[in-house]
Amino acid sequence: MDAKRDRLKYFFLIITVMLLGLSSRYFSYFLPGWLNQYLGDILWALMVFFMVGFIFRESPVLWVAAIALSFAFIVEISQLYHAPWIDNLRKTTIGGLILGFGFLWSDLLSYTIGVTIGVLLEKVLILR
């Protein structure tokens, strides 16, 4: 069993990544097109990884990664479903940020990269 994650540290990581993600949209005109296209999704998945680590502070890093990646994939796949109630939810700011709008295969790769970055940060920087 891995050591417990430091919740305060993970809270600040969640907030930092959230601000970076929102900033990547706000300042998108400063970023190269290829980076701008994927950075928000990578950071969203990294934030999900840190949130799962925050909640399940004693779980092994690969378990946290599997849960975070599963959540991200489920949210992406849910974008194939269109009913008035969920599309109305997606039209809200928070709904759009969490649920997204349309399914893209490239988002699955971006989520995998974001969660992998989280695993590497936790393993290399020993964020516990």
Side-chain angles (χ1 to χ4, degrees):
M1 180 70 80
D2 292 324
K4 291 181 181 179
R5 289 172 183 84
D6 182 343
R7 281 207 168 125
L8 184 60
K9 196 180 294 184
Y10 270 68
F11 175 77
F12 283 114
L13 287 168
I14 292 164
I15 298 301
T16 300
V17 173
M18 188 182 304
L19 291 173
L20 286 172
L22 293 172
S23 296
S24 77
R25 298 293 189 219
Y26 186 75
F27 297 109
S28 62
Y29 52 89
F30 288 117
L31 300 172
W34 62 270
L35 181 60
N36 184 41
Q37 187 172 1
Y38 304 108
L39 185 59
D41 294 321
I42 291 170
L43 291 170
W44 184 83
L46 180 59
M47 181 192 69
V48 170
F49 173 84
F50 288 140
M51 290 173 118
V52 173
F54 177 89
I55 295 167
F56 301 101
R57 61 190 296 226
E58 295 184 35
S59 297
V61 66
L62 293 180
W63 186 89
V64 170
I67 297 301
L69 199 55
S70 296
F71 176 80
F73 275 35
I74 288 168
V75 168
E76 187 65 24
I77 292 167
S78 78
Q79 294 172 17
L80 293 170
Y81 175 70
H82 292 281
W85 71 271
I86 198 164
D87 285 342
N88 286 334
L89 188 58
R90 287 183 177 120
K91 288 177 186 174
T92 66
T93 301
I94 192 75
L97 287 170
I98 294 170
L99 298 175
F101 299 98
F103 177 85
L104 293 172
W105 286 103
S106 60
D107 287 353
L108 300 178
L109 178 60
S110 296
Y111 300 153
T112 303
I113 292 169
V115 169
T116 301
I117 290 169
V119 170
L120 293 174
L121 287 173
E122 185 165 309
K123 288 290 194 181
V124 172
L125 298 179
I126 311 168
L127 294 173
R128 296 169 183 259

